[in-house]
């Protein structure tokens, strides 16, 4: 009810302005500490990537692009926050407007283009974050727009070097549609070289390293990417980023022709299909994090049953509001029980 009214007001604002207001509120909430944080049911605990998560639900990359809103997001009930994408050098991203709402579809289109303040500024903020009671922090890294793909690996390694000390896990993002040519790095040859180098750098640091993939890969290309990830020793896969497709009725929306990646409800079938396929191909060798179009607890449960060990949201938070993680924490134990599962881990991949 209160969220309905608040959302109406926020949706009158430019989406980036609304985001800035939300970030301000999260800073206040974060400063209040973890006292307000919901306590997840023990059945929701997940051991994954060598880390303890108090529930499977996490904040996907791109919401906190290095402002470090981790404490506030943790207080909302997220077990983990993926900060990023962070590039070695600061960059402004694409010119606004670059974020568009499609409320009729519970969707967003964005072409932010990795706007972020770079490794040094992000590292300085992360250094001020208390280690205790902050939840799990992932750091998602990328390349600067003006770095050619042939030298992309240098950017990924520089970002890993600069930020690993604050990361519980690292993510190599190769799937944003808003950095020209980036997605080509998901092809076998470049992927083997780039991911192999990043895994070799992260391993002695003791940090699990995952790769985040696009929902627009052909099924065979996705299989190949999973094989490469397993082969080069990556710790997991995140499926998926936003899509460049405009599926179904979205195609006729006035904003559909905006360039950028589509997220939210219309992405769900594509992201779910990619998750299922990645799960089948990985065959238990590495875990999959499911993301894309997750809007409520039932969606979280479905992703877990489709093979996700952890589930992330972004657009769901914009439409369902800040109570979303808390509601998932309340409803998911019942969904598990009804399905005959004592824990999240028992339910993974059972659909
Ligand atoms: C405004 C916006 C910015 C994003 N920025 C990033 C980013 O910097 N890095 C990244 O890996 N994913 C980014 N994403 C993708 C999300 O992490 C997520 O993979 C995608 O939105 C699908 O999930 P959703 O449907 O729950 O939003 C962004 C998404 C949105 C909506």
């Amino acid at each position: 009810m209160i969220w309905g009214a608040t959302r109406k007001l926020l949706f009158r604002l430019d989406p980036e302005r609304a985001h800035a207001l939300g970030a301000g509120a999260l800073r206040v909430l974060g400063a209040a500490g973890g006292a307000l944080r919901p306590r997840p049911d023990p059945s929701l605990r997940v051991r994954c990537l060598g880390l303890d998560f108090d529930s499977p639900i996490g904040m996907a990359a791109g919401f906190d692009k290095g402002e470090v809103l981790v404490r506030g997001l943790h207080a909302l009930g997220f077990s983990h926050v993926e900060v990023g994408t962070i590039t070695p050098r600061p960059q402004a991203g694409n010119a606004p407007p670059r974020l568009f709402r499609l409320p009729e579809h519970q969707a967003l289109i964005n072409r932010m283009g990795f706007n972020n303040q770079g490794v040094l500024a992000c590292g300085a903020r992360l250094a001020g974050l208390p280690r205790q009671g902050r939840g799990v922090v992932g750091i998602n890294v990328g390349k600067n727009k003006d770095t050619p793909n042939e030298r992309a690996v240098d950017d990924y390694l520089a970002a890993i070097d600069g930020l690993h000390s604050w990361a519980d896990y690292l993510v190599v993002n190769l799937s944003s549609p808003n950095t020209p040519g980036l997605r080509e790095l998901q092809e076998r040859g470049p992927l083997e070289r780039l991911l192999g180098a990043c895994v070799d750098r992260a391993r002695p640091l003791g940090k699990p390293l995952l790769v985040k993939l696009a929902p627009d890969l052909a099924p065979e290309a996705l299989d190949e990417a999973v094989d490469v990830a397993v082969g080069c020793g990556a710790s997991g896969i995140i499926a998926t980023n936003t899509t460049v497709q405009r599926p179904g009725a979205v195609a006729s929306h006035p904003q559909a022709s905006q360039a950028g990646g589509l997220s939210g409800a219309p992405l769900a079938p594509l992201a779910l299909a990619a998750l299922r396929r990645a799960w089948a191909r990985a065959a238990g060798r590495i875990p999959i994090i499911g993301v894309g179009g997750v809007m409520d607890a039932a969606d979280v449960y479905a992703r877990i049953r489709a093979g996700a060990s952890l589930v992330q949201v972004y657009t769901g938070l914009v439409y369902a509001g800040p109570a979303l993680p808390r509601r998932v924490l309340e409803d998911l134990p019942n969904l598990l029980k009804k399905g005959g599962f004592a824990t999240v881990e028992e339910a993974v991949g059972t659909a």
Side-chain angles (χ1 to χ4, degrees):
M1 198 68 175
I2 296 172
W3 170 243
T6 311
R7 194 178 93 166
K8 231 182 204 163
L9 288 174
L10 285 173
F11 275 26
R12 285 201 194 137
L13 302 174
D14 163 74
E16 285 200 55
R17 175 94 193 98
H19 177 87
L21 283 178
L26 282 168
R27 264 190 214 99
V28 173
L29 186 64
L36 303 168
R37 184 181 152 67
R39 302 266 169 257
D41 190 82
S43 65
L44 301 188
R45 282 183 201 143
V46 177
R47 175 93 188 148
C48 183
L49 307 170
L51 301 166
D52 290 311
F53 296 79
D54 65 14
S55 85
I57 177 101
M59 182 76 234
F63 188 91
D64 182 343
K65 285 180 179 279
E67 298 93 331
V68 186
L69 306 168
V70 170
R71 293 216 300 164
L73 289 165
H74 189 54
L76 289 187
F78 289 111
S79 67
H80 64 286
V81 177
E82 196 168 302
V83 173
T85 295
I86 309 298
T87 56
R89 286 168 287 116
Q91 63 179 31
N94 291 317
R98 53 192 178 176
L99 177 57
F100 307 89
R101 296 187 193 100
L102 292 72
E104 301 82 352
H105 302 286
Q106 304 222 330
L108 298 171
I109 291 175
N110 92 83
R111 53 168 178 271
M112 305 301 288
F114 291 169
N115 55 309
N116 79 106
Q117 294 183 4
V119 161
L120 282 181
C122 179
R125 290 212 191 88
L126 285 162
L129 188 65
R131 291 245 170 206
Q132 282 296 317
R134 62 168 203 183
V136 173
V137 176
I139 300 182
N140 174 311
V141 297
K143 77 166 191 74
N144 281 107
K145 186 179 177 184
D146 57 5
T147 301
N149 272 4
E150 306 77 67
R151 292 215 312 272
V153 65
D154 299 340
D155 274 15
Y156 285 91
L157 295 177
I160 291 170
D161 288 345
L163 294 172
H164 69 85
S165 0
W166 297 286
D168 296 310
Y169 71 87
L170 294 158
V171 180
V172 168
N173 178 14
L174 302 177
S175 46
S176 165
N178 302 313
T179 295
L182 188 79
R183 287 180 164 201
E184 290 160 21
L185 298 170
Q186 297 173 111
E187 289 161 20
R188 180 179 276 280
L191 185 62
E192 272 171 351
R193 283 189 291 279
L194 195 146
L195 199 56
C198 292
V199 168
D200 289 348
R201 186 64 61 96
R203 193 180 288 125
L205 303 169
K207 300 293 156 108
L209 183 133
L210 298 85
V211 59
K212 184 165 176 179
L213 299 174
D216 303 317
L217 287 171
E220 302 71 32
L222 176 60
D223 288 348
E224 207 166 60
V226 173
D227 291 347
V228 171
V230 172
C232 73
S235 300
I237 285 167
I238 305 189
T240 66
N241 214 310
T242 57
T243 178
V244 293
Q245 300 175 54
R246 301 290 181 262
V250 172
S252 51
H253 191 279
Q255 301 283 30
S257 58
Q258 293 289 353
L262 175 76
S263 59
L267 169 62
L270 289 170
L272 180 60
L275 163 65
R276 279 191 205 293
R277 188 144 188 136
W279 160 258
R281 191 74 178 189
R285 292 174 296 171
I286 51 173
I288 320 289
I289 298 184
V291 51
V294 170
M295 312 307 272
D296 59 23
D299 289 343
V300 173
Y301 179 60
R303 292 303 158 106
I304 292 166
R305 297 214 52 204
S309 296
L310 300 165
V311 179
Q312 299 178 335
V313 298
Y314 185 148
T315 307
L317 193 71
V318 172
Y319 286 99
L324 173 65
R326 185 180 287 267
R327 276 207 298 275
V328 171
L329 298 183
E330 280 166 12
D331 296 347
L332 190 55
N334 299 328
L335 290 168
L336 286 169
K337 217 175 280 166
K338 263 193 219 147
F341 304 107
T343 62
V344 165
E345 289 180 356
E346 261 183 30
V348 174
T350 50

